[in-house]
Amino acid sequence: AGPVVKLLWSRLKPTTRTDAQALSAQVILRCCAIEAQKANGTSMRQASTFMVRASQQLGQAQIDDGIKTKHPSYMVTVSGLSLWRQLFLHPCFDPRTILFPPKELGQSRPLQWLASLLADQELYKRFYNALEDAETAISGQTKNDFVVRKAKQIREEADRRAAIVRALAGSTLLLVLRRMMLDGRGIPWLPGSRHGSVRAAFMSIASVFKTAAPTMDPPFVKSTPPDVLLYAAELIHLLLHQVPRDALTPFRLLDDAAQAIHALPRPSRAPVAVPGLDAVDEQEVFAANFMEALLSLNLTLPPDPKTKHAPAALEAGGNVALGWDSALAEMAKAAGVTSGTADAVAVTTVGIRNGDGESGGHSHGAGRVRASAVPPEVLQLLAQSSECLKWNAAMMLYVLGVDLAVVCQDGFQRCLSKWRQRKEQAKMLVSIDILNRSKQTLEGLI
């Protein structure tokens, strides 16, 4: 039935695909209700099996629609992310059930989709293609007839949509990882390197630290923006600290992150390496990519502690925590997990503005996206100034660097040796600073 479902899905209109995703989510919740009612054994097994298979089919359809196509639907993608987020926060729903399927069902398609969206460095190109096609269909013009102003509008809208989708995917991944860590039962990662394994998650997220080779026109790829680096660094930091207490301490945007680098937070325990950082060669490659990403922010690092940095003021409401929801605080209380630093963050619904349909300058289909599709966290994060985002990304990368100084120690030393030979002073200075701060921050834990 898989090929038939794929064929039918590809021929559906975006609004119909959005409704189909919502129906799938409702069916999954109905199956959860059957399990919660403690029905007879046969009914529970059938409901559980159906729920897993339905989620796998939904995940595969989302991959085909959003990752494997050059013309993804923004409306379908955002609605799908919103639905997964609502499922992950539902109190009767255990994400482990569908994110880590039995061996016979292969890989975790939902996790593959979420990680792939965050890691997709050419997503802005594919949204540009989709917007260009929509504009051509509406105006009757070819892309060669577009004036410079219209092409600029389409390009900016494609960048905006890609930023929202990647940030929302990163936020949703963080949220579900925290949810599974909070109850103390841990995350049942799949073995090996298939999607659903910790290795696959790490490799996909870590890929954003290195600019990808182009696979589409135009033949170049933009460097990873600081908001994506923020989510990627926080995700890897969480993978290295899979304990309830650290899951309760999300990274929060700071007014003056430059000064905060001199007082890095202390985790509850030392970081634990994950598959993907086993071999020294893997450590060296990741350490080198990590340093390139940090220096790509084009900041003066390490910041001078005696210099008074002007605060990069937070806009659009301030308190922004990555991958957090007030529902997680309630779940933590129910599980008996507490932390003095994890204040609940209020979450309200924010609608998508007109024009978020399939066309760049029209609102066709925009009203079909749920009002709560994009959480305030994402919109507030993307509303910050470039300076604010860059310094907060640097702060989060320093937090991750403290971990990497332990789990990638040999890789860092190899990189340092090469940087000395090449006389790459900036990399040497920043890496030595990170190694020293790691010793101070983790003193007594390692």
Side-chain angles (χ1 to χ4, degrees):
V4 176
V5 171
K6 180 178 178 180
L7 178 62
L8 292 174
W9 180 269
S10 65
R11 293 182 177 179
L12 295 176
K13 293 181 179 180
T15 50
T16 307
R17 277 179 276 167
T18 299
D19 292 339
Q21 288 181 140
L23 178 60
S24 298
Q26 288 300 318
V27 170
I28 290 172
L29 284 178
R30 289 290 181 91
C31 292
C32 287
I34 293 175
E35 288 190 319
Q37 291 171 359
K38 306 294 182 182
N40 65 71
T42 302
S43 297
M44 285 185 62
R45 284 193 300 271
Q46 290 176 339
S48 179
T49 300
F50 182 84
M51 179 168 55
V52 173
R53 292 185 180 276
S55 63
Q56 288 290 95
Q57 288 285 356
L58 176 58
Q60 185 61 60
Q62 290 169 326
I63 290 169
D64 294 336
D65 182 64
I67 300 299
K68 294 184 178 180
T69 178
K70 292 185 178 180
H71 304 82
S73 167
Y74 175 73
M75 180 172 63
V76 174
T77 303
V78 172
S79 295
L81 286 167
S82 176
L83 286 168
W84 281 117
R85 192 180 185 92
Q86 292 173 52
L87 279 174
F88 294 151
L89 288 173
H90 198 283
C92 297
F93 180 75
D94 185 354
R96 300 173 182 84
T97 306
I98 61 172
L99 292 184
F100 305 102
K103 185 177 181 179
E104 62 269 19
L105 291 181
Q107 311 186 62
S108 175
R109 298 306 179 190
L111 271 183
Q112 178 185 357
W113 183 59
L114 290 171
S116 297
L117 284 177
L118 174 67
D120 189 352
Q121 297 185 41
E122 292 187 295
L123 186 59
Y124 68 95
K125 294 183 185 180
R126 296 191 293 112
F127 277 136
Y128 183 92
N129 290 340
L131 286 165
E132 190 177 65
D133 284 356
E135 187 64 30
T136 298
I138 292 170
S139 66
Q141 296 177 312
T142 66
K143 62 181 181 181
N144 295 328
D145 296 328
F146 291 166
V147 296
V148 174
R149 182 179 178 183
K150 173 56 69 175
K152 181 175 181 289
Q153 288 176 349
I154 293 176
R155 185 171 62 254
E156 291 175 348
E157 178 64 12
D159 288 344
R160 188 187 72 86
R161 292 185 178 195
I164 288 176
V165 167
R166 296 182 75 184
L168 182 52
S171 175
T172 304
L173 271 173
L174 276 171
L175 185 142
V176 71
L177 291 179
R178 296 191 202 283
R179 165 84 192 267
M180 290 186 287
M181 293 177 191
L182 286 178
D183 61 11
R185 292 192 290 145
I187 303 176
W189 298 104
L190 299 180
S193 58
R194 55 182 170 155
H195 292 289
S197 66
V198 67
R199 182 183 182 86
F202 171 80
M203 297 301 290
S204 185
I205 297 164
S207 69
V208 306
F209 291 152
K210 181 180 180 179
T211 303
T215 62
M216 302 170 57
D217 289 332
F220 66 88
V221 177
K222 296 178 182 179
S223 59
T224 301
D227 48 283
V228 175
L229 289 177
L230 262 170
Y231 279 111
E234 173 75 336
L235 278 163
I236 295 177
H237 174 67
L238 198 58
L239 290 178
L240 300 176
H241 295 271
Q242 297 185 39
V243 291
R245 184 176 174 185
D246 289 334
L248 264 178
T249 53
F251 180 84
R252 299 175 188 274
L253 293 192
L254 302 172
D255 264 338
D256 199 351
Q259 287 299 312
I261 290 175
H262 297 289
L264 296 174
R266 179 182 172 88
S268 65
R269 71 170 192 185
V272 177
V274 296
L277 294 174
D278 300 325
V280 178
D281 289 344
E282 292 177 324
Q283 296 176 16
E284 181 183 354
V285 169
F286 183 58
N289 292 342
F290 164 82
M291 189 57 61
E292 290 286 354
L294 180 55
L295 295 183
S296 73
L297 296 171
N298 198 26
L299 300 171
T300 302
L301 296 171
D304 187 346
K306 297 180 181 179
T307 300
K308 184 177 181 180
H309 292 267
L314 295 179
E315 304 167 6
N319 195 11
V320 181
L322 301 189
W324 186 254
D325 192 282
S326 56
L328 291 177
E330 297 301 320
M331 294 176 186
K333 290 179 182 178
V337 181
T338 58
S339 172
T341 60
D343 302 321
V345 179
V347 174
T348 57
T349 60
V350 177
I352 299 179
R353 73 186 191 191
N354 286 339
D356 280 357
E358 294 308 301
S359 64
H362 303 267
S363 59
H364 298 294
R368 299 299 298 272
V369 182
R370 293 180 61 88
S372 58
V374 183
E377 168 201 334
V378 171
L379 296 178
Q380 290 173 8
L381 176 78
L382 296 177
Q384 306 310 315
S385 68
S386 174
E387 192 76 2
C388 176
L389 288 175
K390 283 184 177 182
W391 276 113
N392 274 276
M395 166 69 177
M396 187 62 240
L397 286 168
Y398 257 79
V399 171
L400 177 60
V402 167
D403 298 332
L404 300 183
V406 176
V407 299
C408 293
Q409 184 175 10
D410 294 336
F412 253 116
Q413 292 301 330
R414 275 194 185 182
C415 287
L416 262 175
S417 178
K418 291 182 178 180
W419 294 332
R420 285 194 184 98
Q421 292 176 359
R422 299 170 187 164
K423 296 183 179 181
E424 297 183 76
Q425 298 298 327
K427 292 180 181 179
M428 288 175 54
L429 181 64
V430 174
S431 60
I432 291 173
D433 183 55
I434 288 175
L435 292 172
N436 290 335
R437 292 185 191 282
S438 179
K439 291 179 182 178
Q440 298 170 7
T441 304
L442 299 179
E443 185 178 3
L445 295 178
I446 54 176

